[in-house]
Amino acid sequence: MRQDTLLFLLNDETREIVLAMKKRGFGVGKLNGVGGKVDKDETIGAAAVREANEEIGVAIDERDLVKVGELTFHFKDKPDWDICGHVFFARVWTGEPVESEEMAPAWFGWDEIPFDKMWIDDKYWLPLVLKG
């Protein structure tokens, strides 16, 4: 099973979250956190930090990641797509989220998350994780 990361930037004071529109590849057109595959000989935390920098231009210290869950996805017709997703929040980073070739980030209020533009399962687990 492939190991992936999924990271959300949070601002607790304004109760906002960064979601990014996927511009190409798997999940194109959907809003999500940033992340992706864990490279060979890379820790899961290091992968989350690298992906955030590549996809939205922010720098995060791995010590500032807060792991909030694991999501397992099974693809009945394509088992080689099966994923264990490691979900992180980051409340401290350097830089402002910027658009890349792959992702277009935007801030959303926790009570205004556009679940209709996200993966269908996000509406079930993301609000629970945001509540702690």
Side-chain angles (χ1 to χ4, degrees), residues 67-127:
K67 187 166 183 180
V68 295
E70 286 185 17
L71 303 171
T72 304
F73 298 98
H74 295 281
F75 295 85
K76 180 179 150 190
D77 297 328
K78 297 197 180 218
D80 55 318
W81 287 14
D82 290 357
I83 296 169
C84 176
H86 302 266
V87 184
F88 297 93
F89 285 166
R91 293 174 170 89
V92 177
W93 62 89
T94 303
E96 289 299 317
V98 294
E99 187 169 345
S100 68
E101 291 181 11
E102 189 167 351
M103 303 291 271
W107 286 97
F108 294 89
W110 293 359
D111 297 327
E112 300 167 348
I113 296 173
F115 288 109
D116 60 321
K117 296 179 181 174
M118 299 175 72
W119 291 102
I120 194 166
D121 64 290
D122 292 343
K123 65 184 173 188
Y124 299 107
W125 65 267
L126 186 54

Side-chain angles (χ1 to χ4, degrees), residues 52-63:
N53 185 260
E54 291 174 359
E55 293 183 347
I56 61 170
V58 297
I60 302 169
D61 187 310
E62 191 172 343
R63 294 171 294 188

Side-chain angles (χ1 to χ4, degrees), residues 3 5 9 11 26 39 43 61-62 70 82 97 129 131-132:
Q3 303 297 303
T5 64
L9 301 182
N11 183 324
F26 187 72
D39 289 339
T43 67
D61 187 310
E62 191 172 343
E70 286 185 17
D82 290 357
V129 175
K131 289 178 185 175

